[in-house]
Amino acid sequence: MPYNWTRPQQNAVRELHLWPHQSLPPQGYVRFLGLTAALICVPLIPVLGSFLLWGLLPFLLLALFGMKWALDRNRHDHQILEVLTIGKEEARLERINPDGGRQSWRCNRYWTRVGMHHRDGPVPHYVTLQGGGREVEIGAFLSEEERIALFDELSSAIHGTEVPLPPR
């Protein structure tokens, strides 16, 4: 799952890190672009040595670099990290956006509520944290099943039930 409970830092009881799923690892990225380049070269074999090659080559290179640009843009847009820190008296959510901007929310842990909008949100089973006069989303980039599991884990974590931590 693209989220995990980590060992808490100072003055924190629990800490949760969430990030979007990256389906194309760096090795797959290189392989995909290499295979695309090789397949683009196949139609050029019959026209090797003719002027037609120079007419087709710019368009094929444009298609290849367009694919690379789209993959790079997608990877950049998914560089999101959400960190939920649950302290003894305070819950704090910080979101680090792809452009480096930060958004934060904090609330007294006692007044924090975990909400799920089954159909009313931008995605099914939309999970929110409510408190301090605001309602903020958490994990909107997760799959539907992951958001349902996240809701259950957050409900128990906010209200004091233990969440298993990974071994050191």
Side-chain angles (χ1 to χ4, degrees):
M1 281 196 189
Y3 70 87
N4 67 343
W5 293 94
T6 62
R7 292 273 173 203
Q9 295 181 2
Q10 58 204 1
N11 300 327
V13 177
R14 295 179 187 90
E15 190 171 275
L16 174 68
H17 290 226
L18 301 104
W19 60 91
H21 180 69
Q22 296 286 336
S23 61
L24 187 62
Q27 302 89 350
Y29 171 81
V30 171
R31 287 181 186 150
F32 178 77
L33 284 179
L35 183 61
T36 302
L39 290 175
I40 281 178
C41 289
V42 170
L44 294 178
I45 293 172
V47 294
L48 283 176
S50 71
F51 288 112
L52 188 57
L53 171 73
W54 299 108
L56 291 175
L57 195 59
F59 295 104
L60 297 177
L61 288 175
L62 183 65
L64 182 65
F65 284 109
M67 183 69 64
K68 181 186 180 321
W69 178 83
L71 289 172
D72 289 344
R73 177 66 190 254
N74 184 29
R75 182 175 299 277
H76 177 267
D77 288 348
H78 283 87
Q79 297 299 316
I80 299 171
L81 177 64
E82 293 181 353
V83 179
L84 174 67
T85 306
I86 302 171
K88 292 186 186 336
E89 296 190 17
E90 181 182 65
R92 185 177 66 241
L93 177 66
E94 185 168 10
R95 177 184 170 112
I96 303 167
N97 293 314
D99 62 358
R102 293 177 179 257
Q103 297 170 301
S104 61
W105 168 86
R106 55 180 68 213
C107 178
N108 184 319
R109 181 177 170 183
Y110 179 77
W111 297 107
T112 303
R113 291 185 325 180
V114 181
M116 180 182 285
H117 304 276
H118 297 283
R119 293 192 183 102
D120 298 338
V123 292
H125 302 286
Y126 187 64
V127 180
T128 60
L129 295 173
Q130 302 164 353
R134 288 178 53 198
E135 182 175 22
V136 294
E137 69 177 16
I138 183 167
F141 44 76
L142 299 174
S143 71
E144 189 172 347
E145 296 82 21
E146 291 167 340
R147 285 191 301 274
I148 292 169
L150 176 66
F151 173 76
D152 294 335
E153 290 182 26
L154 282 178
S155 296
S156 62
I158 293 288
H159 300 298
T161 312
E162 274 301 313
V163 173
L165 293 173
R168 277 196 180 203

